[in-house]
Amino acid sequence: MLENQIVQKSSDISGINSNAEAHNVDAQNEVTGRVYFDPQQAIAEFEAESQTEKEVSITDARVATFIKNARVLMKHKEIPLAMSLLRQASNFDSRNPVTLDLLATCLERSSRVQEALIARKTLIEVDYGFESLYKYATSLYKLGRDQEALDKYYEALAVITEENDQLFEVYKNMGNIFVRQGDFDGAEEYYNKAYTMNSQSDVLLVNFGTLEVQRNDFDKSLFCFRKAVEINSNNDKAWVGLAMVHNQFGDNELAWANIETAIDINPQNRTAVHLAANWGLRDGKIQKAIEALQSYLASVEEDEDMSLVLINLFCTAGQVDKALLEMERVLLWNPNHTEVRNLKKKILQSQKAA
């Protein structure tokens, strides 16, 4: 499916994307630029929006009120308060599907994925169908329980009765699982299914590109990453993909330009920073690599492995004092890190001897 698109001109793709982006901007401005002068109008529009939620019969008025208020709080990102109301709703009806779905969503937004998984599993028992199975499978997928997720995605596809917007995510995630399992043909099959539903997904194109890298088809991967960047120039993973392919082709300068763009977009892109560190040593651009690592470590809570890379770069660059400072940070996280403690001891001894 994607192979048929390779002959398409870049200018044609850009034109399509420009029209789509213009339409999206207009739609966004229409929503975000709205100012209410009439409170009744605001209430009426909110009520109309609420009507789009899945209709489920809620016989207990108390539960209905808790759910309604929880939705308002979730909309305004007051997740702990919303969870409190949903737990109260559960006290009156512990198997209400709307309550379970909203509670699982709140738990996911709070990074309490294991608890969310329990709620999702219970939801399947009381509201068996595509939506519940899809959400449960996706929770398993995010936890890295690939085979279980794949089984539930298959089950969800078996019970689907009509076209659903979530099918794209199902196919894409199944493709990702097959890639991790080394089944590249299976991955291609499901990526193609997702592509027929949304050929303008830069995320999917990056996945396609990664698949072709693993197949050592760098021409195809280059096309995929380039198209992803044309669709979304802020996709840092697409820029990393381009950097890797250009590096494979021996174009180091272009590879560096790509990796620097990725880091500018997202300083927390670990793959990009790690590549910069490796290439910095190889190409004599150690200071660039150091700056990338410092920026990365300043934005993440803790990454011991990347701190060790930075220590190595500092030592290579002769910046011993900075290396010692970074060692202190590692030892604060892990006082029993023997390798770092021994290296620190050797450096201090050599400084005394000098």
Side-chain angles (χ1 to χ4, degrees):
M1 184 63 65
L2 183 65
E3 288 84 343
N4 297 334
Q5 304 295 323
I6 293 180
V7 295
Q8 188 174 3
K9 294 180 181 177
S10 297
S11 57
D12 295 340
I13 297 172
S14 298
I16 294 169
N17 295 337
S18 297
N19 293 334
E21 287 171 6
H23 174 75
N24 290 338
V25 169
D26 290 341
Q28 185 177 2
N29 289 340
E30 182 181 344
V31 174
T32 58
R34 184 181 300 148
V35 178
Y36 292 108
F37 295 99
D38 182 0
Q40 295 303 318
Q41 180 192 3
I43 293 171
E45 294 209 12
F46 176 76
E47 292 293 343
E49 185 179 317
S50 299
Q51 296 289 328
T52 63
E53 299 288 348
K54 183 179 178 181
E55 294 294 333
V56 176
S57 177
I58 304 174
T59 55
D60 193 316
R62 296 167 299 182
V63 174
T65 301
F66 282 132
I67 288 173
K68 182 178 180 180
N69 292 335
R71 279 177 170 155
V72 174
L73 289 168
M74 289 172 69
K75 187 174 181 180
H76 293 279
K77 300 181 180 179
E78 296 288 350
I79 303 302
L81 292 175
M83 274 200 290
S84 178
L85 291 183
L86 292 168
R87 292 190 188 284
Q88 292 183 62
S90 296
N91 291 335
F92 295 108
D93 184 359
S94 62
R95 296 175 71 80
N96 182 281
V98 178
T99 304
L100 287 167
D101 186 32
L102 292 176
L103 184 58
T105 301
C106 286
L107 289 166
E108 286 163 354
R109 292 182 185 177
S110 304
S111 300
R112 295 162 65 177
V113 288
Q114 293 289 353
E115 294 173 75
L117 190 66
I118 296 171
R120 293 279 179 220
K121 189 173 183 179
T122 306
L123 181 59
I124 291 175
E125 297 171 4
V126 300
D127 186 32
Y128 185 83
F130 173 80
E131 287 285 342
S132 300
L133 287 164
Y134 157 71
K135 290 177 179 178
Y136 180 55
T138 302
S139 294
L140 291 167
Y141 169 79
K142 291 178 179 177
L143 285 168
R145 293 162 62 173
D146 284 352
Q147 190 55 52
E148 293 173 82
L150 192 60
D151 292 341
K152 287 301 174 184
Y153 278 135
Y154 276 128
E155 190 175 345
L157 292 173
V159 301
I160 193 169
T161 56
E162 59 186 18
E163 196 73 12
N164 190 291
D165 292 339
Q166 305 298 345
L167 271 176
F168 171 81
E169 287 295 323
V170 171
Y171 292 145
K172 177 175 67 67
N173 291 350
M174 290 177 77
N176 292 344
I177 291 171
F178 282 124
V179 168
R180 291 199 286 261
Q181 291 180 342
D183 184 352
F184 298 153
D185 290 339
E188 183 178 18
E189 177 187 349
Y190 280 91
Y191 282 162
N192 278 330
K193 288 183 178 183
Y195 189 79
T196 59
M197 302 193 71
N198 183 4
S199 63
Q200 296 298 299
S201 169
D202 56 298
V203 174
L204 178 62
L205 286 162
V206 170
N207 292 348
F208 255 124
T210 304
L211 171 63
E212 298 304 340
V213 166
Q214 296 197 50
R215 285 173 157 174
N216 292 320
D217 192 334
F218 296 105
D219 289 325
K220 277 187 184 178
S221 64
L222 185 63
F223 167 81
C224 294
F225 292 133
R226 278 178 174 167
K227 189 174 180 185
V229 166
E230 288 175 2
I231 293 170
N232 178 11
S233 60
N234 287 320
N235 188 321
D236 54 299
K237 292 181 180 179
W239 287 107
V240 171
L242 283 174
M244 294 172 68
V245 175
H246 286 303
N247 181 66
Q248 183 69 28
F249 288 154
D251 193 341
N252 293 348
E253 287 304 313
L254 190 51
W256 265 106
N258 295 151
I259 212 69
E260 287 173 348
T261 300
I263 293 171
D264 286 341
I265 294 169
N266 180 14
Q268 294 184 37
N269 187 316
R270 195 178 191 275
T271 302
V273 174
H274 199 268
L275 285 173
N278 289 336
W279 296 351
L281 284 169
R282 179 194 68 189
D283 300 333
K285 297 183 179 182
I286 293 178
Q287 193 54 42
K288 277 188 178 183
I290 287 173
E291 290 169 3
L293 271 161
Q294 286 178 316
S295 178
Y296 169 82
L297 289 168
S299 60
V300 299
E301 184 175 346
E302 177 184 340
D303 191 330
E304 185 177 300
D305 290 338
M306 293 295 271
S307 282
L308 295 176
V309 174
L310 181 57
I311 290 168
N312 182 46
L313 289 174
F314 278 141
C315 290
T316 303
Q319 300 176 28
V320 178
D321 290 342
K322 291 182 178 179
L324 287 169
L325 188 61
E326 191 63 30
M327 288 178 201
E328 289 295 340
R329 187 159 75 152
V330 172
L331 291 172
L332 282 173
W333 298 330
N334 183 4
N336 298 318
H337 199 299
T338 306
E339 183 182 349
V340 171
R341 191 168 292 282
N342 289 339
L343 179 59
K344 178 186 173 184
K345 186 177 180 180
K346 286 180 181 179
I347 291 175
L348 291 175
Q349 287 176 343
S350 64
Q351 285 181 331
K352 288 179 181 178

